[in-house]
Amino acid sequence: MSELKSTFEKYTTLSRTALLATASRSMATALSHLRHIKAGNENELLSAIVAAALGADGTLSEKEIDFMGELFSSTLTKEKLSALTARFENEKMRTATDRMVDSMDKEGKRAICTLCLCILASDKTLLPEENAFLLRLIR
C-alpha cells in the first residue's frame, strides 16, 4: 500500500500540462469502459466518480476547480462543483461508486483511478482522505 501511495505522490510533482494530458487520455479510456456498464449514461457515471473523488476530503481547492474547468473545457464555478460533490459525500453514494468501479476490468479501474489521481493531485497535495479514496478505487 505504501508503494501505491508513493506512486500517487509522484503525480503531485507533475506539471499541469502533464496532468491534463494524462487525465484526458485516462478519461477517454474510462468512458469507453463505462459504456460497457451503462451505454448512453457513461458521462453521468464518470461525473459521479469524479464528484466522489473531489468530495473525498470535504473541500475543493481553487486549483482543483481550475483544473476541472480546463479538463472539461467549461466554466465550472465553485458553487456548481460543491453542489455536485455534496451529493457524493455520504457513505451510500460512496458505496454505489465503489460497486460501479468494482464491476470494471483492470484497465478500466486503472483509467478511473489515474483520472481521479490527476484531478486530486492538481493542487500539488494528496490528503489522507484522498489517498484512501484512490486506494479504494484501485483495489
Side-chain angles (χ1 to χ4, degrees):
M1 239 195 254
S2 63
E3 186 177 313
L4 273 174
K5 286 182 185 177
S6 176
T7 300
F8 294 166
E9 285 296 321
K10 289 178 185 174
Y11 277 73
T12 64
T13 65
L14 295 177
S15 70
R16 186 175 192 84
T17 302
L19 284 173
L20 282 166
T22 302
S24 292
R25 283 190 307 275
S26 296
M27 184 167 46
T29 301
L31 283 168
S32 75
H33 285 268
L34 288 169
R35 272 185 210 100
H36 295 295
I37 295 174
K38 188 123 178 156
N41 289 66
E42 60 272 4
N43 289 326
E44 289 81 10
L45 296 175
L46 184 66
S47 295
I49 295 166
V50 168
L54 286 168
D57 67 352
T59 62
L60 283 170
S61 72
E62 291 299 320
K63 288 182 181 179
E64 287 171 337
I65 294 166
D66 292 343
F67 187 85
M68 291 289 294
E70 281 185 65
L71 181 61
F72 291 100
S73 302
S74 64
T75 307
L76 294 170
T77 64
K78 186 172 187 168
E79 292 75 27
K80 286 180 186 177
L81 281 174
S82 292
L84 181 62
T85 58
R87 293 180 36 213
F88 294 93
E89 286 179 351
N90 68 50
E91 194 56 37
K92 182 179 177 182
M93 293 307 287
R94 284 188 196 130
T95 300
T97 301
D98 287 347
R99 284 189 189 134
M100 181 178 18
V101 174
D102 286 346
S103 69
M104 298 175 79
D105 65 14
K106 192 174 186 176
E107 183 185 14
K109 281 184 182 185
R110 191 174 320 133
I112 291 286
C113 187
T114 302
L115 171 61
C116 291
L117 176 55
C118 289
I119 293 167
L120 295 175
S122 67
D123 64 359
K124 302 299 180 193
T125 61
L126 282 177
L127 298 174
E129 300 88 353
E130 293 170 328
N131 274 312
F133 177 84
L134 293 167
L135 290 170
R136 275 193 354 242
L137 281 182
I138 203 68
R139 67 181 157 122

